[in-house]
Amino acid sequence: MKTDIILAGVGGQGILSIATVIGSAALSDNLYLKQAEVHGMSQRGGDVQSNLRISSTPVSSDLIPTGGADIIISLEPMEALRYVPYLAPEGWIVTNTTPFVNIPDYPELTEIDSELMNNGNVVAFDMDAVAKEVATPRASNMVLLGAATPFIGIPEDKIEAGIRQIFSSKGEAVVESNLKAFRAGLAKAREISKK
């Protein structure tokens, strides 16, 4: 088993929480893990990116080479597009379709969507709307994690245990809200990708 993941988004969207949950799940599944984070201007709504390399054998480097990512997981469509050069030919893009417009010349959403869809294996939907419907708007990152789970290679019960572990200090209501969001994202991704 080997999965190279690029997590992308904008500061404050919860990308690093996703990385923490996946890391916890990987370790509980006795997998090797290397992670590199680039925070950029995260406090000002800038680019946040993390490389996660998970494997059943030791991982030597924490950085994913161009063309080597199995999955790009993004809470923002332009940030997903930014990392497409890192995607492997059979890799998957899992992204929120709701833009975080933080620059004056943000590209047209139709252009971004068109470019993303040129990559073949794409799961893209309005994760903010799903989060609002089943949990809370702040849980869109857990919707994204659920949507990415069929492509990560870690059993979903291990990822759910990771969610419980990471959010347990905030109380059972927060844990359950995040699990609802996760399960909704997982169901939506299975519907879209047939996985």
Side-chain angles (χ1 to χ4, degrees):
M1 182 273 182
K2 178 196 80 65
T3 307
D4 286 341
I5 304 167
I6 291 181
L7 288 159
V10 172
Q13 288 188 304
I15 288 297
L16 300 181
S17 294
I18 294 173
T20 304
V21 170
I22 293 172
S24 173
L27 294 175
S28 75
D29 206 25
N30 294 315
L31 297 170
Y32 293 89
L33 170 73
K34 289 264 187 177
Q35 180 178 359
E37 294 175 4
V38 178
H39 297 277
M41 297 287 287
S42 60
Q43 292 180 348
R44 297 186 186 175
D47 175 33
V48 177
Q49 180 257 338
S50 182
N51 283 250
L52 276 174
R53 305 190 82 187
I54 302 166
S55 179
S56 52
T57 59
V59 181
S60 55
S61 172
D62 55 0
L63 296 177
I64 298 169
T66 302
D70 298 298
I71 315 168
I72 295 171
I73 302 173
S74 181
L75 260 169
E76 208 288 327
M78 189 175 76
E79 293 303 324
L81 189 58
R82 181 191 308 262
Y83 294 100
V84 165
Y86 288 88
L87 191 65
E90 299 302 315
W92 282 84
I93 297 170
V94 181
T95 186
N96 190 358
T97 56
T98 305
F100 186 99
V101 181
N102 57 352
I103 55 174
D105 57 347
Y106 192 96
E108 287 294 323
L109 198 52
T110 53
E111 292 174 30
I112 294 171
D113 290 344
S114 175
E115 286 291 323
L116 287 172
M117 292 305 169
N118 284 338
N119 292 284
N121 296 329
V122 179
V123 172
F125 61 93
D126 185 343
M127 297 180 189
D128 293 1
V130 172
K132 286 177 195 170
E133 182 183 322
V134 302
T136 170
R138 294 197 59 181
S140 60
N141 63 335
M142 291 299 111
V143 173
L144 176 64
L145 176 58
T149 293
F151 317 103
I152 293 174
I154 297 173
E156 64 189 76
D157 63 316
K158 300 279 186 185
I159 294 180
E160 286 198 8
I163 292 169
R164 285 191 179 284
Q165 179 185 347
I166 300 309
F167 292 104
S168 63
S169 65
K170 296 186 180 198
E172 191 58 26
V174 172
V175 170
E176 287 306 316
S177 178
N178 280 291
L179 286 171
K180 271 187 184 177
F182 168 80
R183 291 170 185 149
L186 178 61
K188 186 78 172 169
R190 286 183 171 152
E191 176 188 317
I192 291 169
S193 70
K194 311 296 186 231
K195 270 198 160 231

